Amino acid sequence: MGMAEGGGDASAAASEMKLEFTPTWIVAAVCSLIVFISLVVERLLHRLGKVLKRKNQKPLFEALQKVKEELMLLGFISLLLTVFQGAIQRICIPKGWTLHMLPCKKEEPDDAHGAAAEAHFQAAFSAGLFGGRRLLSESGSGAAHCLIKGKVPLLSLEAIHQLHIFIFVLAITHVAFSVLTILLGGAKIHQWKHWEDSIQKQITGDGTAPKQVTHVHQFEFIRDRFRGIGAISVIISWLHSFVKQFFGSVTKSDYTTMRLGFIMTHCKGNPKFDFHKYMIRALEADFKKVVGISWYLWVFVVIFMLLNVNGWHTYFWIAFIPLILLLALGTKLEHVITQLAQEVAEKHTAIEGDLVVKPSDDHFWFHRPQIVLYLIHFILFQNAFEIAFFFWIFTTYGYNSCIMDHVCFIVPRLVIGVTIQLLCSYSTLPLYAIVTQMGSYFKKAIFDEHVQEGLVGWAEKVKKRKGLRIGNGLATSDAQNETTRKVELPKMFVQTTPSMEEGRSGSTGEIASRPAT
């Protein structure tokens, strides 16, 4: 009788939690609060976007749009989880399937109390968890449906709810860490501005140094970077590059030499080209790629969650992946600078005038400087994943949870995470900003924004006009030759529109240099 009364009370409590039994003032108050918070966030983002547009910060404005896209994706994921949680609950699997690849070791009850414990767990599971925690849908129906068949639900509502929260925390943490990295790295790069200013003041005439012969080893850049010729020297240069990333990763002689190499290769006719301003614009343009979460990063999330098995300490070992990649990346970027010095020192004994290095894609992995940006993107995301997972477990299950793992595994993960964040911000990102300019191509940031838009618009109009003439049968060989001459300058932009990511140095270099100051 008592059990019947208890069941009746539980049923009444469950009924009272339905929307039709909830006071209207509670529903209205909760809805008002949610709508108010959403509108405040939306207005703040909108106001920030207007400020960036007013200050002509188009790359940062595009990055903000990328953040909005990520928030929209999160909303869509939330909607899918909410709509389909009932369907997921009704997917039943044998109980034996749930005993493998567990994040925590399940304690098996002994035979004497096994049946009673299991019955008690099932009753609490369906009446307590699913009856007391609705989570936006009918609760307990999926569990009862599976229990009748002697099976268990594929995923409980509690698990769906926690998964929902984790995805949101991961995305927010990644965006926050990316912004923090760009802010700290940008602050480091802005310290180089006084180098640019001092160089600009020293430039006179055509910007070239007096034609005096200087021994190659008298240049500070060569003394700091060149380690000799031979197998032993190669090993020493790599070790030097590894250590160099931790202190003084870029010196004034490095900046001056790479700046001159870029100008002499891509815009020789403009010695007063503001290399620092160009570098900042290029970094801001790359930021919108770093702040997003690409599809392949979501694949890594799924793989990492799959491998989170009790006893494997997966997240401890995974924490070393971004650290190793970051150290390898920093070493490689430092070694690119060393290779520039090596090329000059091996070919010349003395140099007349300035020391000029030659940028080339051959210095980078697979001859693609863009790979560096993808690696930084992955490193930042993986580090954000580690930190987000830690705080999610800590706030959800507590410090003593079995998912949290032992202290000897937790502390190193946190130390590695902080180390990666600081090293990437103050060393690797500034290195990326300047060293990737030593490729065979220049980036579209070499042009001012209005020039970029003008060239793209001009190229599109010429392309469209040419297509209309050919379609109407009015094109002649003379007209085609004239059009070809007109399109000669922005040809590369037509081929890469709308992205207009890069341009090759050469005939366009001197023209490109004029609007890029």
Side-chain angles (χ1 to χ4, degrees), residues 286-349:
D286 290 335
F287 175 57
K288 66 181 180 181
K289 301 175 183 177
V290 173
V291 77
I293 303 180
S294 305
W295 64 269
Y296 55 87
L297 296 179
W298 287 112
V299 172
F300 280 112
V301 170
V302 174
I303 294 175
F304 295 153
M305 296 184 73
L306 175 66
L307 298 177
N308 184 28
V309 179
N310 179 57
W312 290 11
H313 311 296
T314 303
Y315 290 130
F316 172 76
W317 301 113
I318 287 177
F320 288 95
I321 295 178
L323 178 62
I324 294 173
L325 284 177
L326 186 65
L327 294 177
L329 187 59
T331 303
K332 177 59 180 176
L333 292 174
E334 287 284 355
H335 196 255
V336 168
I337 305 177
T338 301
Q339 285 178 294
L340 295 172
Q342 185 94 12
E343 281 187 349
V344 176
E346 289 180 352
K347 293 179 181 179
H348 305 280
T349 305

Side-chain angles (χ1 to χ4, degrees), residues 387-443:
I387 302 299
F389 186 82
F390 169 80
F391 282 108
W392 173 64
I393 294 297
F394 180 76
T395 55
T396 304
Y397 299 103
Y399 184 78
N400 295 321
S401 171
C402 59
I403 306 180
M404 183 67 78
D405 217 333
H406 303 295
V407 176
C408 58
F409 294 105
I410 297 173
V411 175
R413 283 170 54 189
L414 294 177
V415 172
I416 289 173
V418 174
T419 302
I420 290 174
Q421 189 65 35
L422 295 177
L423 184 61
C424 187
S425 300
Y426 286 108
S427 177
T428 309
L429 189 66
L431 272 172
Y432 162 80
I434 189 169
V435 174
T436 52
Q437 313 308 328
M438 295 298 101
S440 303
Y441 297 86
F442 59 82
K443 298 180 180 180

Side-chain angles (χ1 to χ4, degrees), residues 213-229 341-342 344-351 355:
V213 178
T214 307
H215 192 277
V216 70
H217 288 284
Q218 291 182 348
F219 290 98
E220 183 181 354
F221 178 70
I222 300 295
R223 291 199 308 268
D224 291 344
R225 294 287 178 174
F226 182 57
R227 290 294 176 268
I229 302 174
Q342 185 94 12
V344 176
E346 289 180 352
K347 293 179 181 179
H348 305 280
T349 305
I351 295 175
L355 172 64

Side-chain angles (χ1 to χ4, degrees), residues 223-265:
R223 291 199 308 268
D224 291 344
R225 294 287 178 174
F226 182 57
R227 290 294 176 268
I229 302 174
I232 300 298
S233 300
V234 171
I235 297 174
I236 293 176
S237 67
W238 277 104
L239 291 175
H240 177 263
S241 298
F242 174 79
V243 176
K244 183 72 174 174
Q245 65 180 311
F246 298 108
F247 62 93
S249 56
V250 177
T251 62
K252 184 178 181 179
S253 63
D254 296 335
Y255 180 87
T256 304
T257 304
M258 286 188 282
R259 175 191 179 276
L260 183 60
F262 179 88
I263 291 176
M264 297 301 289
T265 302

Side-chain angles (χ1 to χ4, degrees), residues 6 8 13 36 50 54 78 94 98 107 189 196 247 295 324 338 358 385 394 422 446 500 510:
F36 175 75
K50 291 180 67 176
R54 187 168 61 250
S78 174
T98 64
E107 298 292 339
I189 296 172
E196 180 71 31
F247 62 93
W295 64 269
I324 294 173
T338 301
K358 183 174 179 56
F385 176 83
F394 180 76
L422 295 177
I446 197 171
M500 210 176 77
E510 304 217 9

